[in-house]
Amino acid sequence: MAFFSGLFSFVLFVFLGIIISAEAAVKKYQFDIQVKNISRLCHAKPIVTVNGRHGLKQYRNGWADGPAYITQCPIKTGSSYTYDFNVTGQRGTLWWHAHIHWLRATVYGAIVIMPKPGTPFPFPQPNREEVILFGEWWHNDVEELVKQGNKMGLPPNMSDAHTINGKPGPLFPCSEKHTFAMEVESGKTYLLRIINAALNDELFFAIAGHNMTVVEVDAVYTKPFTTQAILIAPGQTTNVLVRANQALGRYFMASRSFMDVPIPVDNKTATAILQYKGVPNSILPTLPQLPAPNDTAFALGYARKLKSLNSPRFPANVPQKVDRNLFYTIGLGKDSCPTCQNGTRLLASLNNISFVMPETALLQAHYSNLTGVFKADFPDRPPKPFNYTGAPLTANLGTSHGTRLSKIAFNSTVELVLQDTNLLTVESHPFHLHGYNFFVVGTGIGNFDPAKDPANFNLVDPVERNTVGVPTGGWTAIRFTADNPGVWFMHCHLELHTGWGLKMAFVVEDGPGPDQSILPPPKDLPLC
């Protein structure tokens, strides 16, 4: 769920954490929005701050999901809206963020759902917890940069810095006081709830001198494994245990981009400090050894280690039979644009369809049976098969534009293979499906082979997520049961690609039972 569709002309640079108990109780949170001047990297600018919800599964209640023009129309400036939702069968680390244009550059925060009181974690109880949020900072107004890029037909300027809990760290100018520090005590264990809220960068993260034990991703427990670094894509969350077992000192926590093709990214390193209690600030921290920015082997190896816990208390209910097989190709391309700098404009597509945002919210149109808003004819396969990851192709292969959705029968099981292509270039893509968790049953490099690759699928303990990375020049296969009726957005979580059209939506039909249909919309729902 991605809360906070809004029409704002500024961006937010503060984050807000929400902690929710899993007990049956009503929790109320109020977000008050105002403009303030914020300074970073020797630059100050006015931004929107939130008292200085993408994450939760909205069962039958897509009205509280948030994506602008998908489940609701934007909350207009000067207006308010109350998101009313139940936390059902969930616990762990999630997050909320804006879901219109590039407003989520800084409009984001953590959602931490605690287990029921008395319910232990399936791993050693930590002595303390800390939320670690990755983000980005631009000197200039982000929305203006995007408008300028679209006008020229080019990507907008990349960010000027990455941030950890809103701060870039002392490796950047004017940033010594803009450094997040976490004090630890020798011998104690800490649970870090890590969230990548960056717009366009997959990130490596490591702590100098310390190993991390991964125990959860996207609010689902995993089989624990120890690693010196993690890889986390935009939209993903990862919980790790860190033992303060090193010599008393100060140690940098650091994040840096992963990109294994020659595409420009913000490759500057953001840092925070893990500081042992009693150690003076005058001690210089040591830097961790992060993987190389293009370390494909680490990225693939790390993904292979992620598996569901699949215990009696936390089973992995992987669909064993498939009712609907889907195969979606991911393409980058160019459209003619006589007014653009090179006479073309960049676009992105799924199955050669570049998604066009509607003017009426899709869930509103579906619920009210409005015609002319969308077509439910999104193809199950690409119209023109080709050697997807072969020699680079610059043609669009007849890319079309449209608001086309895929209709799915209630409670049917779905297998979706997402295939990267070499149209313009191969690239990794983190895909997020709203309203559902899914199991990542297979992944590979090159073209997916439907005759051979399914034999190697993991149908026992595959990792369960809501956002998954499709590897560069490769494919990823996911499975889920369509038991949540409504209209559910699926998109690349690189905001650049989403804006170019790398998105679509599923219409999951109502079921026959009394609790298997979409709930009525709230009375104050923003309408178009």
Side-chain angles (χ1 to χ4, degrees):
M1 168 191 60
F3 289 106
F4 231 94
S5 296
L7 295 177
F8 300 101
S9 57
F10 300 99
V11 294
L12 168 76
F13 190 67
V14 300
F15 64 88
L16 178 67
I18 298 175
I19 298 178
I20 302 173
S21 169
E23 287 186 291
V26 176
K27 304 289 184 181
K28 295 183 179 180
Y29 300 90
Q30 181 170 322
F31 290 0
D32 294 321
I33 303 169
Q34 56 183 313
V35 175
K36 289 185 177 180
N37 277 324
I38 296 292
S39 177
R40 291 290 186 274
L41 280 69
C42 313
H43 289 74
K45 66 176 182 180
I47 63 172
V48 175
T49 61
V50 179
N51 356 354
R53 287 171 223 299
H54 182 111
L56 299 177
K57 180 180 178 181
Q58 297 295 330
Y59 184 68
R60 301 174 57 215
N61 190 27
W63 310 108
D65 191 39
Y69 299 106
I70 305 297
T71 57
Q72 67 176 78
C73 295
I75 304 167
K76 295 181 179 179
T77 302
S79 300
S80 64
Y81 177 61
T82 300
Y83 289 100
D84 190 356
F85 57 95
N86 292 324
V87 178
T88 305
Q90 298 176 87
R91 41 98 202 93
T93 305
L94 295 165
W95 65 303
W96 60 266
H97 63 82
H99 219 301
I100 184 170
H101 308 309
W102 283 38
L103 189 62
R104 80 170 177 90
T106 46
V107 181
Y108 59 81
I111 300 176
V112 175
I113 308 172
M114 301 302 295
K116 293 180 181 179
T119 303
F121 294 124
F123 48 79
Q125 182 73 23
N127 298 101
R128 203 180 92 215
E129 302 180 13
E130 192 74 61
V131 172
I132 304 292
L133 267 159
F134 301 145
E136 292 172 275
W137 168 263
W138 279 263
H139 291 322
N140 298 314
D141 187 303
V142 179
E143 293 298 328
E144 288 303 315
L145 288 174
V146 175
K147 289 177 183 177
Q148 182 182 13
N150 290 340
K151 186 176 180 180
M152 299 175 67
L154 300 171
N157 292 343
M158 67 186 71
S159 57
D160 295 291
H162 288 114
T163 60
I164 299 177
N165 285 0
K167 300 175 180 181
L171 302 186
F172 291 89
C174 305
S175 296
E176 284 191 14
K177 67 177 182 179
H178 295 142
T179 300
F180 172 73
M182 173 183 172
E183 187 179 78
V184 298
E185 294 184 46
S186 185
K188 292 189 174 181
T189 300
Y190 297 83
L191 179 67
L192 304 187
R193 298 179 178 270
I194 304 167
I195 301 166
N196 186 353
L199 265 72
N200 293 308
D201 292 329
E202 297 181 76
L203 296 170
F204 292 119
F205 174 74
I207 306 172
H210 295 73
N211 289 329
M212 296 175 284
T213 302
V214 177
V215 294
E216 175 191 305
V217 296
D218 293 356
V220 181
Y221 295 134
T222 62
K223 285 185 171 66
F225 68 92
T226 300
T227 181
Q228 291 184 327
I230 68 167
L231 177 62
I232 183 168
Q236 292 182 334
T237 73
T238 302
N239 284 8
V240 301
L241 292 174
V242 177
R243 181 83 170 165
N245 57 3
Q246 298 300 304
L248 298 183
R250 302 172 80 222
Y251 299 85
F252 271 131
M253 301 185 281
S255 67
R256 185 178 63 198
S257 294
F258 163 66
M259 175 57 73
D260 55 355
V261 290
I263 294 176
V265 294
D266 177 0
N267 61 3
K268 297 178 285 293
T269 302
T271 55
I273 296 174
L274 184 131
Q275 180 164 338
Y276 281 73
K277 188 174 183 179
V279 174
N281 292 344
S282 57
I283 301 296
L284 292 176
T286 55
L287 274 168
Q289 185 68 40
L290 288 164
N294 62 348
D295 195 338
T296 304
F298 178 92
L300 295 174
Y302 178 79
R304 282 193 294 267
K305 293 176 183 176
L306 293 169
K307 297 181 186 296
S308 288
L309 195 57
N310 195 23
S311 67
R313 283 180 58 207
F314 304 102
N317 298 315
V318 188
Q320 298 297 308
K321 117 182 146 56
V322 175
D323 298 318
R324 184 86 172 270
N325 286 94
L326 307 175
F327 182 77
Y328 291 176
T329 54
I330 303 164
L332 302 178
K334 295 181 179 180
D335 256 357
S336 175
C337 177
T339 61
C340 293
Q341 179 172 299
N342 298 318
T344 58
R345 174 182 286 123
L346 291 164
L347 83 162
S349 63
L350 285 168
N351 279 358
N352 272 32
I353 300 169
S354 189
F355 190 84
V356 175
M357 293 297 289
E359 295 182 357
T360 300
L362 296 175
L363 182 58
Q364 176 189 337
H366 169 61
Y367 184 84
S368 303
N369 293 314
L370 302 180
T371 59
V373 178
F374 66 86
K375 293 182 179 180
D377 64 349
F378 192 91
D380 288 2
R381 304 188 157 64
K384 295 182 180 180
F386 61 99
N387 183 4
Y388 305 116
T389 56
L393 298 173
T394 56
N396 287 344
L397 299 179
T399 300
S400 63
H401 300 256
T403 310
R404 300 169 65 181
L405 280 58
S406 179
K407 186 171 284 188
I408 305 291
F410 179 81
N411 220 32
S412 60
T413 54
V414 179
E415 180 180 292
L416 168 60
V417 176
L418 292 161
Q419 172 73 62
D420 189 29
T421 70
N422 207 1
L423 292 170
L424 289 189
T425 181
V426 290
E427 188 176 346
S428 59
H429 300 272
F431 266 85
H432 173 57
L433 175 59
H434 288 244
Y436 288 91
N437 280 2
F438 49 73
F439 291 96
V440 185
V441 296
T443 189
I445 300 300
N447 296 341
F448 173 73
D449 187 337
K452 296 180 180 179
D453 287 325
N456 297 317
F457 282 177
N458 178 1
L459 302 180
V460 177
D461 60 354
V463 67
E464 184 179 351
R465 313 206 66 142
N466 60 46
T467 304
V468 65
V470 179
T472 301
W475 55 270
T476 293
I478 66 173
R479 287 188 181 184
F480 64 95
T481 301
D483 57 0
N484 193 5
V487 177
W488 302 107
F489 199 27
M490 189 182 78
H491 60 96
C492 179
H493 229 301
L494 303 179
E495 201 63 37
L496 186 65
H497 294 170
T498 300
W500 289 346
L502 196 52
K503 50 197 173 188
M504 57 84 65
F506 292 103
V507 178
V508 178
E509 298 177 295
D510 287 347
D515 296 325
Q516 297 176 341
S517 59
I518 305 169
L519 295 170
K523 294 180 179 179
D524 61 342
L525 181 75
L527 300 176
C528 302

